[in-house]
Amino acid sequence: MATKHTTATLTIDGKSLDLPVLHPTIGPDVVDIRKLYAEGDVFTFDPGFTSTAACESAITYIDGDKGDLLYRGYPIEQLAEKSHYLEVCYLLMNGELPSRLQMEDFERRITRHTMLHEQIHYFFRGFRRDSHPMATMVGVVGAMSAFYHDSLDINDPSQREIAAMRMIAKLPTIAAMAYKYSLGQPFVYPRNDLDYAANFLHMCFSVPAEPYHVDPILARAMDLIFTLHADHEQNASTSTVRLAGSSGANPFACIAAGIACLWGPAHGGANQACLEMLREIGTVDRIPEYIARAKDKTDPFRLMGFGHRVYKNFDPRAKVLKKAADDVLGLLGIGDNETLKVAKELERIALEDPYFVDKKLYPNVDFYSGIILEAMGFPTAMFTPIFALSRTVGWISQWREMLNDKNQKIGRPRQLYIGAPMRDYVPVEAR
Ligand code: SDX
């Protein structure tokens, strides 16, 4: 537990400014610098926000040193073992675990919104079949604001609620449609008799030509992956959603912005990049070559799925996924999967290497997730779309919290200007 500081004094050229210290429920104290520019005529400088709290939040807490992750106070390990994704959605959005009746009502409302307006199918037709599904999702989710006009007014709580329900319910349908479209197969409608994870597998893998049976092992693994990716404090894509929302942009535009940000290989795109890296390594004997590249400052190569801005210990999600990878691949009869062997040996070697130990680089959520998703039959291009649909509830919960925040105002960072001082225009003849 961090010691409780009382005041912070900043002295600049002999002039002292007392800054209030704010205290969290758990975690580091926060120095409130909101009056710093007005009273001290200086900015702070923190590219990448390594030491900056951008907001108050009660949704998710991460202790990077201990490797703790709490959703509304509940440890991710307990939720992964005892809960399920839609219950976690209710928890993240409402702050408390639902009663049985509340859960039944929530699940019924989500189920009733899983279908897309039939005309949205035409949006897909404008994309090339070989488009990355993330490109399709950014486009279609953003285009939902051209459709669902009765859920655009962010100042109307009932419209915010229906927009939230629609996105939690429809993102799996959109992701599955993006996948089907890339295959040239017909879209598969959601089924109200299936649960959330089973429905997604059904929409991805069933075809009209024959019956499709959802394997309960895969459905459980799918639900677990959704839960583990649901929220993660103020990560890059969540901060993007908050910043977009702070301008008053409609909810669909904000979530589309979050999807776009998540796509980057340093963030949610790492699950695809990690599996491609493991495939490129290919066999255990080639691991030292890649460890050396990761340590070589002249080589841009990084171990994908390794390292984290906050975790300086094991990402607790990686621990759960490592066990799930063993369980799922074992139950599927592919426990001797070469990619899994390479991943485990890569982890073992890296965690004994001083470079990774000293820099506190551990496997993160993206290190094992791809191995499970590949075993379930998904192509690597679908890994980040699955991360995006899972994280939609986190983005929406954080977006709603931002709109209800009494301190909320448009996000507008300043800068350290290093460009040219004011100067007069020079006519071309004189240049
Ligand atoms: C996610 O923020 C979140 O919560 C994100 C996320 C979520 O749920 O929303 O957890 C999901 O994005 C997980 C991270 C997925 N990304 C990857 O796996 C890509 C590989 N990892 C990195 O690129 C990196 O570790 C980051 C981007 C994740 C974190 O980067 P930071 O915090 O800016 O750290 P850094 O780049 O300053 O690295 C610190 C040092 C550097 O060496 P020095 O310059 O100090 O000598 O560690 C090195 C880096 O070169 N380093 C790595 C490395 N990651 C960091 N070296 C080799 N391989 C790596 N993977």
Side-chain angles (χ1 to χ4, degrees):
M1 176 71 73
T3 55
K4 288 297 177 197
H5 304 89
T6 49
T7 58
T9 303
L10 183 62
T11 303
I12 303 173
D13 294 340
K15 179 188 174 188
S16 291
L17 195 61
D18 288 332
L19 298 168
V21 175
L22 309 179
H23 303 302
T25 312
I26 37 178
D29 285 342
V30 172
V31 176
D32 183 345
I33 59 165
R34 281 176 286 185
K35 66 182 184 181
L36 179 60
Y37 180 51
E39 297 183 13
D41 196 29
V42 292
F43 296 148
T44 57
F45 185 61
D46 186 16
F49 312 118
T50 52
S51 302
T52 296
C55 63
E56 287 180 332
S57 183
I59 299 172
T60 294
Y61 177 72
I62 302 170
D63 184 321
D65 294 327
K66 294 181 187 169
D68 289 344
L69 167 57
L70 311 178
Y71 287 170
R72 298 286 189 180
Y74 295 99
I76 192 67
E77 297 86 350
Q78 293 184 28
L79 293 171
E81 181 189 345
K82 300 172 181 174
S83 185
H84 58 89
Y85 181 67
L86 274 192
E87 184 177 72
V88 166
C89 287
Y90 184 98
L91 172 65
L92 290 170
M93 285 179 62
N94 298 292
E96 297 296 337
L97 290 168
S99 67
R100 193 178 304 281
L101 283 178
Q102 287 169 328
M103 190 64 240
E104 287 170 3
D105 173 61
F106 184 74
E107 187 147 23
R108 184 170 44 252
R109 291 167 65 207
I110 292 292
T111 302
R112 307 300 296 178
H113 285 287
T114 50
M115 282 178 68
L116 273 178
H117 190 293
E118 195 69 7
Q119 201 163 317
I120 289 183
H121 293 196
Y122 297 117
F123 290 168
F124 287 85
R125 307 281 177 224
F127 293 95
R128 287 173 46 143
R129 292 280 179 174
D130 60 353
S131 304
H132 194 292
M134 285 296 277
T136 313
M137 285 179 74
V138 169
V140 173
V141 172
M144 286 172 79
S145 50
F147 243 87
Y148 297 102
H149 296 141
D150 63 340
S151 55
L152 296 180
D153 180 358
I154 62 162
N155 299 307
D156 178 344
S158 63
Q159 292 199 34
R160 292 206 298 265
E161 181 69 9
I162 183 65
M165 291 292 115
R166 278 175 169 152
M167 277 189 277
I168 294 169
K170 294 178 193 312
L171 259 288
T173 308
I174 292 169
M177 289 170 76
Y179 177 48
K180 284 304 200 186
Y181 186 72
S182 73
L183 296 174
Q185 290 184 3
F187 296 139
V188 175
Y189 289 98
R191 276 177 43 186
N192 290 353
D193 62 318
L194 296 176
D195 68 34
Y196 195 88
N199 208 2
F200 179 64
L201 294 173
H202 156 72
M203 291 188 285
C204 287
F205 295 124
S206 71
V207 289
E210 60 189 31
Y212 174 76
H213 167 68
V214 179
D215 182 333
I217 297 169
L218 299 189
R220 177 65 192 126
M222 191 80 265
D223 192 272
L224 175 66
I225 284 179
F226 289 164
T227 293
L228 293 172
H229 289 79
D231 193 49
H232 211 238
E233 201 207 71
Q234 304 310 316
N235 59 84
S237 53
T238 296
S239 299
T240 300
V241 171
R242 278 180 171 261
L243 198 55
S246 74
S247 76
N250 74 70
F252 304 107
C254 294
I255 300 304
I259 295 171
C261 176
L262 186 76
W263 195 359
H267 190 14
N271 51 21
Q272 173 175 348
C274 180
L275 196 93
E276 289 165 353
M277 173 191 75
L278 293 172
R279 279 188 188 147
E280 183 184 332
I281 294 173
T283 53
V284 167
D285 62 328
R286 292 194 63 201
I287 289 174
E289 171 194 339
Y290 284 84
I291 293 275
R293 284 189 59 194
K295 293 158 63 173
D296 178 356
K297 286 297 168 207
T298 63
D299 188 332
F301 173 79
R302 284 191 167 185
L303 282 188
M304 301 316 284
F306 250 79
H308 199 278
R309 172 60 58 78
V310 176
Y311 290 121
K312 301 309 171 190
N313 197 326
F314 257 94
D315 180 334
R317 300 168 296 177
K319 285 184 180 175
V320 175
L321 284 166
K322 180 177 181 180
K323 182 178 182 309
D326 273 332
D327 296 347
V328 172
L329 274 65
L331 289 166
L332 293 174
I334 48 176
D336 62 346
N337 175 290
E338 191 61 29
T339 308
L340 182 55
K341 280 183 196 166
V342 169
K344 286 182 173 180
E345 184 60 9
L346 175 59
E347 174 192 331
R348 186 192 66 77
I349 295 173
L351 296 185
E352 290 177 353
D353 185 300
Y355 174 90
F356 295 91
V357 173
D358 297 346
K359 294 179 186 296
K360 298 183 178 179
L361 302 175
Y362 290 85
N364 60 49
V365 67
D366 295 307
F367 191 65
Y368 286 103
S369 56
I371 292 167
I372 300 171
L373 292 171
E374 182 187 54
M376 296 173 74
F378 290 105
T380 53
M382 277 302 290
F383 291 3
T384 310
I386 288 167
F387 192 155
L389 81 84
S390 310
R391 183 56 58 86
T392 294
V393 65
W395 290 329
I396 284 169
S397 302
Q398 300 267 354
W399 170 76
R400 292 181 2 152
E401 184 179 65
M402 183 247 341
L403 291 176
N404 292 324
D405 184 342
K406 64 187 183 312
N407 295 318
Q408 195 273 328
K409 55 177 62 178
I410 189 167
R412 203 316 187 171
R414 303 304 302 273
Q415 62 182 5
L416 170 65
Y417 178 67
I418 55 172
M422 189 182 290
R423 52 184 172 168
D424 294 326
Y425 182 80
V426 178
V428 67
E429 304 78 35
R431 292 175 206 160

